[in-house]
Amino acid sequence: MTKHLLLTGVPGIGKTTLCKNLAETLRDRYPKQIKGFYTEEVCSKDRSMKSSRIGFDVVAVDNKTRASLARALPEGAQARGPKVSKYTVDVNSFEQNALPLISYSGSEVTIIVIDEIGKMELFSHRFKAQVMKLFESDFVFLLCTVPVHSIPFVNSLKGRADVEVIEVTRENRDSLADRLLDVLVSKISN
């Protein structure tokens, strides 16, 4: 039986937008049964008003928490943490702010959104442990985004019998919203 949904697809295809929109709809209908976070690009404008990405934030699905996940450092600055491409991951900020958003210890059916289970987030061993605990919970249903490329931890999640992996494409991203909403609502309603 499919219990958890993992959305995958190339960067920029709309996985985060899909998760964010589903979370907003579910939050309006079932405010006590939805929690989690999505990641959002942080951009800066230069003098010519040209926008460039300088990092990523973690944003709670209830929009009450926003915290740094990673930032590009100025040229010559010393990185104080693991790096992915030009971004330095703030593992401490991530753990302090994101982990409470995905904690669960109740007995009420809850949908937890995790955007994303990727390289940056996986520098946190506490995050990995919490994700595994959520996958084993009887009352939690997960809606997560995962990268297309191979990461051993993510591959193990994709291979689980209780997981449906859905590739988001330009052709299906708009039609997926209604289908996924129906699936998630049925989890809460049963």
Side-chain angles (χ1 to χ4, degrees):
M1 175 187 92
T2 297
K3 184 174 173 190
H4 308 296
L5 302 173
L6 299 184
L7 305 181
T8 191
V10 297
I13 200 67
K15 299 179 299 292
T16 296
T17 301
L18 184 57
C19 274
K20 185 177 175 182
N21 292 343
L22 287 166
E24 287 173 1
T25 301
L26 290 166
R27 187 186 68 226
D28 291 344
R29 294 184 192 179
Y30 310 97
K32 293 183 173 153
Q33 291 177 275
I34 178 91
K35 61 190 304 188
F37 68 86
Y38 59 90
T39 54
E40 200 167 76
E41 289 184 357
V42 178
C43 294
S44 164
K45 292 189 175 158
D46 62 18
R47 289 187 186 133
S48 67
M49 298 305 286
K50 186 177 179 183
S51 184
S52 63
R53 184 170 61 200
I54 60 168
F56 299 90
D57 278 352
V58 170
V59 182
V61 296
D62 65 6
N63 292 313
K64 292 180 181 175
T65 302
R66 173 181 283 274
S68 175
L69 170 60
R71 291 291 184 273
L73 298 178
E75 236 177 271
Q78 234 4 57
R80 294 184 180 208
K83 289 189 74 159
V84 174
S85 185
K86 67 179 183 178
Y87 303 101
T88 301
V89 180
D90 188 340
V91 175
N92 189 43
S93 172
F94 176 71
E95 289 181 344
Q96 285 180 351
N97 295 287
L99 294 186
L101 300 173
I102 62 170
S103 66
Y104 180 81
S105 61
S107 59
E108 185 174 26
V109 172
T110 300
I111 293 173
I112 297 181
V113 175
I114 303 175
D115 170 45
E116 122 176 300
I117 304 172
K119 277 186 186 178
M120 290 183 187
E121 297 82 2
L122 290 174
F123 281 114
S124 167
H125 298 291
R126 290 176 50 206
F127 173 71
K128 284 167 121 173
Q130 195 156 335
V131 166
M132 288 309 302
K133 188 175 172 185
L134 292 170
F135 268 86
E136 297 304 326
S137 171
D138 291 334
F139 297 101
V140 170
F141 296 92
L142 294 166
L143 172 64
C144 306
T145 62
V146 294
V148 170
H149 59 274
S150 182
I151 298 174
F153 181 80
V154 173
N155 294 347
S156 71
L157 299 177
K158 288 178 179 179
R160 292 175 57 105
D162 59 351
V163 165
E164 180 180 356
V165 178
I166 301 165
E167 183 176 5
V168 180
T169 65
R170 286 197 198 312
E171 294 76 29
N172 73 1
R173 67 182 174 195
D174 295 328
S175 63
L176 272 177
D178 289 335
R179 178 182 153 231
L180 295 178
L181 183 61
D182 289 344
V183 169
L184 295 168
V185 167
S186 74
K187 304 287 185 197
I188 291 174
S189 302
N190 289 336

